[in-house]
Amino acid sequence: MLQRDWELVGAPNARDLGGLPAAEGRRVRAGRLIRTAALGRLTDEDLPVLGKLGPACVVDLRGAAEQQVAPPDRLVGEPRVVHLPVYDPAHPVFTYVSAVLLGHDLTAYDELAREGMPAAMAQIYRWFVTGAAAREGFGAAVRLAAEERNLPLLFHCSAGKDRTGWLAVVLLTALGVDEVTIRADYLRHNELTESLREVLLAAMTRRQPHLDPATARPLLEVRAEYLDAAYDEVRRVHGSFGAYLRDGLGVTDGVVAALRDNLLD
């Protein structure tokens, strides 16, 4: 039986995209595309598991400021490490989310707070489609995945749910995986991180006694409405996902063909 979930204590949502049904009756090849959270909290016991995965390339979607405040990735061997920051420090929603996470004063974000965290997360997902840094980062990541020398490719952001989740959507769509299957994989984050999410929520409310858990919880989850916001933005701006790949991300038909050659059985 194909092992899709990799038991990494320090990255509980780690999983292989292999085995998913794709174009022309084919399947995503096992051990080629791995999505995780950041690897800085891996335990000593996790390292042999990562060694078994043996990534040739690790794509880090975090911004430089995020990297600086987090423990460095724990890696095995000498994989190629590529930093593709999908982040905009000037975007008001990014700064609002950071303020919530860090317990900063939120009075400057009254309007965003009134709209609520789910609406803020939906804005971020729309930005994934149109933001310059997002288009550059996601497009470059897809092109890396199309090169045999970068496989197995492991990709992550901080929590491994939003930027990592959208990159998984992009890659799987390019491979011809249907939207229902993609959505189910995206939503599995919640199941895989349920206990950790409650621990994080409790820690946040201890640090910030005035923080309403109802405000923070949508930030720690993935939700169908977030994914819908990105899909809607793709349709609004480009008309189709194929046009988004081509015109938004610079992913040519040749890159898609290479992806399928290298990543499908």
Side-chain angles (χ1 to χ4, degrees):
M1 183 176 175
L2 175 66
Q3 181 177 356
R4 288 203 58 225
D5 298 341
W6 290 89
E7 295 185 3
L8 296 173
V9 173
N13 59 352
R15 58 198 186 274
D16 188 340
L17 297 181
L20 297 178
E24 301 167 350
R26 303 166 76 185
R27 288 187 179 271
V28 180
R29 190 171 299 162
R32 305 260 91 185
L33 290 174
I34 313 294
R35 55 170 296 179
T36 72
L39 304 176
R41 302 191 186 282
L42 295 187
T43 67
D44 290 345
E45 292 72 24
D46 288 335
L47 297 181
V49 179
L50 183 63
K52 186 177 178 182
L53 288 168
C57 181
V58 173
V59 171
D60 186 343
L61 301 171
R62 294 176 296 177
E66 295 175 279
Q67 291 178 318
Q68 289 166 7
V69 299
D73 278 357
R74 301 190 71 185
L75 301 172
V76 177
E78 296 183 353
R80 179 186 184 193
V81 178
V82 182
H83 182 214
L84 298 174
V86 175
Y87 186 76
D88 181 358
H91 194 294
V93 177
F94 278 96
T95 56
Y96 170 59
V97 167
S98 295
V100 171
L101 285 171
L102 298 172
H104 293 169
D105 183 10
L106 300 178
T107 54
Y109 304 100
D110 284 349
E111 184 175 347
L112 282 169
R114 278 196 304 275
E115 292 176 355
M117 186 59 74
M121 293 301 297
Q123 281 194 51
I124 288 177
Y125 274 71
R126 286 191 287 271
W127 178 86
F128 287 167
V129 176
T130 56
R135 290 186 293 107
E136 182 178 344
F138 290 133
V142 174
R143 288 186 288 276
L144 287 171
E147 296 183 48
E148 177 66 30
R149 69 189 176 114
N150 295 321
L151 303 175
L153 183 136
L154 183 153
F155 57 98
H156 73 77
C157 50
S158 290
K161 66 184 186 74
D162 300 311
R163 289 165 290 188
T164 297
W166 183 247
L167 178 53
V169 169
V170 170
L171 287 166
L172 292 174
T173 303
L175 291 170
V177 179
D178 68 84
E179 187 177 319
V180 172
T181 301
I182 290 171
R183 186 179 293 270
D185 178 78
Y186 168 81
L187 291 172
R188 285 200 66 229
H189 171 85
N190 291 340
E191 170 195 339
L192 293 169
T193 60
E194 183 176 2
S195 58
L196 174 62
R197 193 164 59 250
E198 295 310 312
V199 169
L200 290 173
L201 190 61
M204 289 173 71
T205 50
R206 276 198 307 273
R207 282 199 316 269
Q208 309 167 52
H210 301 297
L211 178 64
D212 182 353
T215 299
R217 187 177 295 280
L219 179 56
L220 302 177
E221 298 173 339
V222 294
R223 295 186 175 185
E225 65 200 81
Y226 305 164
L227 192 54
D228 288 339
Y231 276 133
D232 288 346
E233 194 73 351
V234 165
R235 286 187 288 268
R236 184 186 72 82
V237 176
H238 297 286
S240 70
F241 214 101
Y244 163 62
L245 287 170
R246 182 185 64 246
D247 302 329
L249 301 184
V251 174
T252 64
D253 291 345
V255 170
V256 172
L259 280 172
R260 295 186 178 190
D261 285 345
N262 291 327
L263 293 168
L264 296 182
D265 285 328

